Amino acid sequence: MVYTIKPLSKNSWEIANFSDYAEPDAVYQVSLNKDHYYCNCPGYRRQKTIGKHKHIRLLQFWKNQLEQPEGCSLWFEGVNDEDIEYRIFIPPNEALKKILIC
């Protein structure tokens, strides 16, 4: 499963997951209210430990560790989805930013 993140506003992001690279399988929204993240996916409400929610973990990794936020895909690696991996798939430039945002 590959994920992309798209900023919607200062405190809101869209996370889409892809399995076949055509259309997203699902699209969710993560928002930040003060210092608390909220995800509108069904799994968020069932999660016992909110800090381990996968969409929030992806967003925090993307915000804190990627040097170039445009043109990248993210996914989980490891036995228990411990590690987040990423790959840049388009060179970030102004012409492409107007067409493609991830």
Side-chain angles (χ1 to χ4, degrees):
M1 191 80 51
V2 174
Y3 297 87
T4 61
I5 299 172
K6 175 183 174 182
L8 299 175
S9 68
K10 181 181 175 185
N11 292 323
S12 181
W13 301 265
E14 179 181 275
I15 298 183
N17 63 330
F18 295 82
S19 60
D20 65 1
Y21 303 104
E23 295 292 323
D25 297 329
V27 178
Y28 302 110
Q29 188 171 339
V30 175
S31 55
L32 177 64
N33 186 5
K34 296 185 182 177
D35 61 347
H36 179 74
Y37 286 96
Y38 171 80
C39 183
N40 71 347
C41 80
Y44 177 81
R45 291 179 200 91
R46 295 189 302 259
Q47 188 94 32
K48 292 181 182 179
T49 309
I50 299 302
K52 293 189 177 192
H53 182 69
K54 65 182 175 181
H55 300 132
I56 293 172
R57 286 180 54 209
L58 286 168
L59 178 63
Q60 289 173 332
F61 178 87
W62 180 76
K63 285 176 60 180
N64 298 329
Q65 296 187 32
L66 291 180
E67 297 110 20
Q68 301 175 10
E70 293 90 8
C72 62
S73 57
L74 302 102
W75 62 91
F76 287 101
E77 282 289 332
V79 177
N80 296 318
D81 290 338
E82 296 284 329
D83 300 320
I84 298 174
E85 300 288 332
Y86 72 95
R87 180 171 186 182
I88 295 173
F89 60 85
I90 59 172
N93 65 46
E94 291 304 317
L96 287 174
K97 285 182 187 180
K98 293 177 182 176
I99 301 168
L100 300 172
I101 299 174
C102 78

